[in-house]
């Protein structure tokens, strides 16, 4: 990678020669301005207002416009002579925890490369010190004609530097938050938490620029003389926020469906509140009806209730008939059992009487023979 700045890191009395390399690159598609009638390029020419002629780059310098409109020329030699210790030095001024840096301050990112073999040892020392301390270094440096603020941290085995805005360059968020008092209910927070949990985390390496890909396809199609594919435009954003709970529930349901999960979203205890649309009007947040797994008589217009009433006598008659049959069966079974018992007793009596008669005859014969 080509370096854009050469200098040194000042770490106390330690000086580390380094090269500054861009850590990011821009992949966005750029367009040229053309004349729509004939497709000719539109170009800007640098013209001197006093002489009304085009001026080459070699004759162009810098100037500061004063309050009265007059221009004060400033040369590169003037800037180089300024007593700025950071002209060619990244001067570390402090070490702080990383969470002390507001992301609003962070700007362009650079890699710092050790410049030469002698720089390897102090470069490695600073890198390992940053790793072990789990802190970042705050530094001042000069680049492109101005002094800047930076943050040094370790990325893999490289020291990276993020350009920072000066604290007075960060605007206070005055007048940005909603002025209206809006109450957020627990049910709404629960659904928002459920949506965040369902969406979960993402591997940032899998994200890509869909718009850039669409533009590339459009350019390729037009270059081949083919008609570009037209996609149905998505619905317009913004508008009124209506039925916030329903929107949250549907979002959770769709997110779970996309992840192959099932299950209902949200809680049954839903409150109602008023929210404000993007146009300043009040949008009603309706309370969602509770869902039941079976219909009630009111839900089917009373037909189910009537059917139940008509079916009731039939069920009662059937119950009586069943009870009567059961009673008759029991009575018949009892009668049959009694008849069988009587027959057994009669048979036993006859057998006893027969045995008694036989015994008497035998006794009489024995007496006669005696």
């Amino acid at each position: 990678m080509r370096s854009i700045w050469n200098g040194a890191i000042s770490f106390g009395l330690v000086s580390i020669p380094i090269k500054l390399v861009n850590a990011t690159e821009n992949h966005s598609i750029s367009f040229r301005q053309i004349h729509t009638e004939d497709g000719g390029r539109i170009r800007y020419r640098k013209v001197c207002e006093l002489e009304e002629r085009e001026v080459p780059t070699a004759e162009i310098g810098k100037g500061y416009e004063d309050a009265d409109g007059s221009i004060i020329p400033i040369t590169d030699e003037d800037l180089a002579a300024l007593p700025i210790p950071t002209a060619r030095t990244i001067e570390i001024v402090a070490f702080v925890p990383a969470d002390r840096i507001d992301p609003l301050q962070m700007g362009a990112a650079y890699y710092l490369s050790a410049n030469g073999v002698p720089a390897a040892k102090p470069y490695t020392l600073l890198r390992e010190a940053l790793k072990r301390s789990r802190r970042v270094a705050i530094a001042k440096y000069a680049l492109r004609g101005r002094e800047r603020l930076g943050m040094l941290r370790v990325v893999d085995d490289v020291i990276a530097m993020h350009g920072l805005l000066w604290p007075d360059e960060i605007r206070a968020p005055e007048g940005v938050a909603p002025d209206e008092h809006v109450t957020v209910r627990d049910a709404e927070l629960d659904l928002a938490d459920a949506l965040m949990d369902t969406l979960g985390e993402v591997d940032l390496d899998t994200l890509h620029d869909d718009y850039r890909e669409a533009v590339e396809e459009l350019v390729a199609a037009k270059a081949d003389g083919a008609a570009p594919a037209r996609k149905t435009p998505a619905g317009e954003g913004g508008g009124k926020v209506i039925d916030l709970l329903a929107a949250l529930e549907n979002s959770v349901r769709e997110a779970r469906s996309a992840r192959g999960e099932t299950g209902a979203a949200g809680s049954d205890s839903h409150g109602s509140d008023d929210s404000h649309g993007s146009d300043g009007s009040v949008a009603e947040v309706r309370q969602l009806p509770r869902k039941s797994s079976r219909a009630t008589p009111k839900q089917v217009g009373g037909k189910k209730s009537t059917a139940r009433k008509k079916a009731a006598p039939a069920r009662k008659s059937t119950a009586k008939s069943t009870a009567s049959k059961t009673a008759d069966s029991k009575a018949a079974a009892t009668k049959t059992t009694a008849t069988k018992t009587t027959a057994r007793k009669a048979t036993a009596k006859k057998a006893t009487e027969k045995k008694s008669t036989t015994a008497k005859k035998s006794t009489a014969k024995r007496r006669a023979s005696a």
Side-chain angles (χ1 to χ4, degrees), residues 205-229:
D205 292 334
T206 63
L207 301 180
H208 57 279
D209 189 346
D210 294 323
Y211 180 76
R212 189 188 76 205
E213 291 182 359
V215 172
E216 290 174 348
E217 293 175 1
L218 171 65
V219 172
K222 300 199 77 171
D224 294 338

Side-chain angles (χ1 to χ4, degrees), residues 295-306:
T296 62
K298 290 183 180 179
Q299 290 173 320
V300 294
K303 293 181 180 179
K304 193 168 184 179
S305 179
T306 304

Side-chain angles (χ1 to χ4, degrees), residues 99-117:
D99 57 8
R100 286 272 304 276
I101 306 301
D102 190 338
L104 287 174
Q105 287 185 261
M106 299 181 67
Y110 307 94
Y111 290 137
L112 304 182
S113 170
N115 190 4
V117 176

Side-chain angles (χ1 to χ4, degrees), residues 191-248:
L191 282 171
D193 289 341
L195 178 57
M196 289 190 290
D197 292 339
T198 303
L199 292 176
E201 298 182 357
V202 66
D203 182 3
L204 295 180
D205 292 334
T206 63
L207 301 180
H208 57 279
D209 189 346
D210 294 323
Y211 180 76
R212 189 188 76 205
E213 291 182 359
V215 172
E216 290 174 348
E217 293 175 1
L218 171 65
V219 172
K222 300 199 77 171
D224 294 338
R230 302 289 184 182
K231 297 182 180 180
T232 304
E236 295 183 359
K240 295 182 179 180
V241 181
I242 299 177
D243 212 342
L244 180 59
L245 292 176
L248 287 170

Side-chain angles (χ1 to χ4, degrees), residues 275-298:
S275 294
H276 293 265
S278 61
D279 58 355
S281 59
V282 176
E284 180 184 359
V285 179
R286 301 188 300 274
Q287 182 174 359
L288 297 179
R290 294 175 179 268
K291 295 182 179 179
S292 177
S293 59
R294 58 184 180 181
T296 62
K298 290 183 180 179

Side-chain angles (χ1 to χ4, degrees), residues 316-337:
K316 186 178 290 185
S317 175
T318 303
K320 287 184 177 180
S321 176
T322 303
S324 177
K325 288 181 180 180
T326 303
D328 291 344
S329 297
K330 288 183 178 180
T334 303
K335 187 174 182 180
T336 301
T337 303

